[in-house]
Amino acid sequence: MLKLIQNEWMKMWQKQGTWVMLIFLVIFIIVTGGMIKYQDAKNAEDTTWQEVVQQQMNFYKDILASEDLSEADIKSYEEDIAIAEYRLANNVPIQLETSVADFMAFASNWVVLITLFTVVLAASIVSSEFSTGTIKMLLTRPISRAKVLTSKLITIFLFGVLLLIVNISVSALTGFVLFDATTSSQLEMVKGEIVEKAVWGDLAYSYLLACGDFVMSTLFAFFIGSVFRSSSLAIGLTMFLSFMGQMIVSLLSKYEIVKYIWITHTNLKQYETGNILVEGITMPFSLTVLAIYAVLFTVISYISFMKRDVTA
């Protein structure tokens, strides 16, 4: 198995596209950091943190007074106002400029980009073998098809993990070079009480939640690419569901079946923000649904690959 994985890994890095994706991710993070630093310098004003907090609080109050908001939004703004009042009353300053932790939290959004790159690999790693005919040579070895497919699947996730590590490392390095390493107290409302956030713990949790869409999109693209042997179909369909999934769920929200569709549950960050897409779903329920679909996608991929005639 290790030799199979090594073989897939070497084949992957022989393609220029793999290097392009890696280099693009690094450059994208650095350029984004430079743009944020430039914007900070441009917007720097001789304003105290108290004035900024007061302005934010007034803004939240204006929204509550004038907008037709959902209960979740009302609760969110009320908590923001309470936190602002707490800061002013207890002299707890905010961070006026971007910190390393702020930038790394912002860079966690680029898991979407990592997902896209991993989906491209997952969609083509099997279909390209069929289109080029190299699958025949691969299967002439005295190795089971299941092992061959497993090595490809492991390689895909190793590539995704590598990109995640690169994202975290480069964003941390860029952050320490460009931004302030100190972080002001981050506050949140927990069970009616204002407490200080565990900044780095929240950052790790944010990355963990983002892995829901990463894992499911990768498995779905692998499934489509394996069954239909079309990388373009796999990439197109996966990206369509990833970007349009929330809209699809909203259109189907009045139907009970929407609770059992996997795209309803891939955005695990909905439980962190409180903006639940469908009323009545919970984190354990979402994880259960995702696990069932993950197994389903994987099993169908294996059945299709093991039974397919590759002599034609």
Side-chain angles (χ1 to χ4, degrees):
M1 179 59 71
L2 289 176
K3 289 184 178 180
L4 285 172
I5 295 172
Q6 183 181 23
N7 180 54
E8 293 295 335
W9 189 258
M10 292 173 61
K11 288 194 297 184
M12 182 184 70
W13 288 107
Q14 286 174 355
K15 299 177 182 178
Q16 290 183 348
T18 306
W19 289 100
V20 169
M21 288 187 285
L22 180 63
I23 294 170
F24 179 84
L25 178 63
V26 173
I27 294 175
F28 186 77
I29 294 170
I30 296 173
V31 170
T32 302
M35 292 174 64
I36 293 176
K37 181 65 176 180
Y38 172 77
Q39 198 66 32
D40 280 352
K42 186 178 179 181
N43 295 336
E45 298 178 1
D46 188 17
T47 308
T48 65
W49 70 265
Q50 291 93 338
E51 291 174 331
V52 173
V53 171
Q54 186 64 53
Q55 291 172 2
Q56 291 175 345
M57 186 166 61
N58 294 337
F59 175 71
Y60 298 144
K61 288 180 178 179
D62 290 340
I63 293 178
L64 284 175
S66 61
E67 298 289 340
D68 182 18
L69 302 174
S70 66
E71 291 184 8
D73 288 336
I74 292 173
K75 181 181 178 182
S76 177
Y77 283 119
E78 287 178 344
E79 289 180 355
D80 289 336
I81 292 171
I83 291 172
E85 291 174 342
Y86 180 90
R87 285 187 181 279
L88 293 173
N90 295 276
N91 196 33
V92 181
I94 61 170
Q95 189 96 20
L96 293 178
E97 295 184 352
T98 305
S99 66
V100 175
D102 292 333
F103 180 67
M104 290 188 68
F106 181 75
S108 68
N109 295 314
W110 306 138
V111 174
V112 174
L113 190 61
I114 293 171
T115 301
L116 172 61
F117 292 157
T118 311
V119 161
V120 171
L121 176 63
S124 60
I125 197 167
V126 174
S127 60
S128 62
E129 297 273 15
F130 282 94
S131 61
T132 58
T134 54
I135 190 66
K136 298 176 185 177
M137 293 184 290
L138 187 61
L139 296 182
T140 55
R141 300 178 181 179
I143 303 169
S144 69
R145 292 192 180 192
K147 283 188 176 181
V148 171
L149 195 63
T150 300
S151 67
K152 292 180 179 294
L153 189 57
I154 291 175
T155 302
I156 292 167
F157 280 107
L158 285 176
F159 177 67
V161 170
L162 173 64
L163 292 184
L164 283 171
I165 293 173
V166 169
N167 183 68
I168 295 171
S169 302
V170 175
S171 62
L173 181 60
T174 303
F176 279 110
V177 170
L178 297 178
F179 305 110
D180 189 355
T182 60
T183 303
S184 62
S185 297
Q186 302 292 319
L187 304 178
E188 64 180 342
M189 184 80 76
V190 178
K191 296 180 180 179
E193 294 184 4
I194 297 174
V195 297
E196 187 171 348
K197 280 185 179 181
V199 177
W200 299 106
D202 279 359
L203 180 61
Y205 186 57
S206 179
Y207 269 99
L208 183 63
L209 293 180
C211 287
D213 184 54
F214 164 73
V215 171
M216 293 306 299
S217 294
T218 301
L219 287 176
F220 182 74
F222 184 74
F223 153 65
I224 297 296
S226 300
V227 174
F228 297 99
R229 291 182 290 178
S230 172
S231 58
S232 57
L233 175 64
I235 296 170
L237 188 55
T238 305
M239 288 299 98
F240 173 78
L241 292 176
S242 293
F243 290 108
M244 300 299 293
Q246 187 168 341
M247 182 180 295
I248 296 171
V249 171
S250 297
L251 292 173
L252 298 176
S253 59
K254 60 182 179 180
Y255 301 105
E256 184 70 16
I257 195 173
V258 74
K259 293 182 179 180
Y260 306 101
I261 301 175
W262 65 277
I263 56 175
T264 304
H265 307 278
T266 52
N267 180 19
L268 295 176
K269 286 188 175 182
Q270 61 183 305
Y271 298 107
E272 182 182 37
T273 61
N275 297 319
I276 310 299
L277 293 176
V278 178
E279 186 178 351
I281 63 174
T282 61
M283 175 73 84
F285 181 76
S286 291
L287 292 175
T288 301
V289 172
L290 292 179
I292 292 171
Y293 273 95
V295 172
L296 186 64
F297 293 155
T298 306
V299 169
I300 295 176
S301 300
Y302 273 81
I303 292 174
S304 175
F305 185 75
M306 293 174 71
K307 290 188 175 183
R308 173 160 290 142
D309 180 15
V310 296
T311 59

